[in-house]
Amino acid sequence: DIQMTQSPSSVSASVGDRVTITCRASQGISSWLAWYQQKPGQAPKLLIYAASSLESGVPSRFSGSGSGTDFTLTINDLQADDFATYYCQQANIFPLTFGGGTKVDI
Amino acid sequence: QLQLQESGPGLVKPSETLSLTCTVSGGSISSSSYYWGWIRQPPGKGLEWIGSIYYNGNTYYSPSLKSRVTISLDTSKNQSSLKVNSVTAADTAVYYCARLWKATTKFDYWGQGTLVTVSS
């Protein structure tokens, strides 16, 4: 199985900040990576797919980059609505696997 | 607009079988463009992929759950079903169903999730 390691596990930030979250795969997955945002009591919401493609309706302050084993989710100009937990998911091959999550709080 | 809705018992006894249904509306579960997946999240923890099924019935399971899990489709009802046998307290979680787009393997639509507690 491909293991996904996210860092940091949590980050404190303020409105207007830039936040960067990293996800590392245990083996190469090309660009087959997705990012999700989850708020308490809600289902995850797709933000980014294919490592850098922005899902329809997602604000442009969210961006993704990377390929192979190392990936990054960047949130520019952090808004109050962005405080949540973020997960990466490798989409290269079954079994699918998620990272452990990164909580972004104030 | 596609909608997914999980349903099933919220309480299951240890050693029994957990059974959930995902009803899809606004789209066909028989489309060759998608898989239909199940993901769970224990309280306070991260997401765990359980398995996915393709419209032709091909299934893919998490190795850690494969011996206890069955996912199926009922195309006449536009539903996916999940069964987990021999449950323990470790199976207590919010269970989500989600659509997995085959071309990019992204989960683009999710149900709201349903909490299943395993307790006597």
Side-chain angles (χ1 to χ4, degrees), chain B residues 3-39:
Chain B
Q3 291 187 318
L4 292 79
Q5 178 70 57
E6 305 89 350
S7 59
L11 181 64
V12 180
K13 290 182 168 57
S15 80
E16 295 190 346
T17 297
L18 179 161
S19 296
L20 295 175
T21 298
C22 175
T23 300
V24 178
S25 57
S28 173
I29 206 165
S30 301
S31 171
S32 61
S33 297
Y34 309 106
Y35 297 91
W36 302 91
W38 288 90
I39 301 99

Side-chain angles (χ1 to χ4, degrees), chain A residues 38 40-44, chain B residues 6 10 18 20 38-50 82 90-97 110-118:
Chain A
Q38 187 181 34
Q42 296 184 18
Chain B
E6 305 89 350
L18 179 161
L20 295 175
W38 288 90
I39 301 99
R40 71 180 183 179
Q41 185 171 38
K45 297 189 178 181
L47 301 168
E48 178 184 24
W49 176 75
I50 299 171
L82 168 71
D91 294 308
T92 294
V94 175
Y95 286 76
Y96 296 100
C97 61
W110 294 67
Q112 66 185 28
T114 187
L115 173 63
V116 178
T117 301
V118 178

Side-chain angles (χ1 to χ4, degrees), chain A residues 1 32 34 36 38 41-46 48-50 55 87 89-100, chain B residues 35 39 41 45-49 52 60-64 96 100-108 110-113:
Chain A
D1 302 0
W32 297 109
Y36 301 86
Q38 187 181 34
Q42 296 184 18
K45 173 189 173 183
L46 176 67
I48 302 283
Y49 64 96
E55 178 70 356
Y87 294 93
Q89 173 234 324
Q90 69 84 7
N92 184 55
I93 190 172
F94 290 117
L96 305 178
T97 44
F98 289 90
Chain B
Y35 297 91
I39 301 99
Q41 185 171 38
K45 297 189 178 181
L47 301 168
E48 178 184 24
W49 176 75
S52 295
Y60 307 85
Y61 297 127
S62 167
S64 65
Y96 296 100
L100 182 67
W101 193 14
K102 186 174 186 289
T104 56
T105 30
K106 62 178 183 178
F107 288 107
D108 58 352
W110 294 67
Q112 66 185 28

Side-chain angles (χ1 to χ4, degrees), chain A residues 3-79:
Chain A
Q3 307 304 315
M4 306 302 294
T5 304
Q6 276 184 246
S7 61
S9 57
S10 66
V11 58
S12 295
S14 301
V15 172
D17 284 354
R18 171 184 292 178
V19 172
T20 300
I21 299 168
T22 297
C23 183
R24 174 164 290 175
S26 61
Q27 63 189 74
I29 58 171
S30 185
S31 295
W32 297 109
L33 185 99
W35 290 97
Y36 301 86
Q37 175 194 67
Q38 187 181 34
K39 297 179 181 178
Q42 296 184 18
K45 173 189 173 183
L46 176 67
L47 299 175
I48 302 283
Y49 64 96
S52 60
S53 296
L54 193 68
E55 178 70 356
S56 176
V58 174
S60 59
R61 62 180 180 273
F62 291 92
S63 64
S65 64
S67 67
T69 61
D70 294 313
F71 301 86
T72 299
L73 173 69
T74 300
I75 312 171
N76 287 305
D77 188 23
L78 193 72
Q79 299 297 298

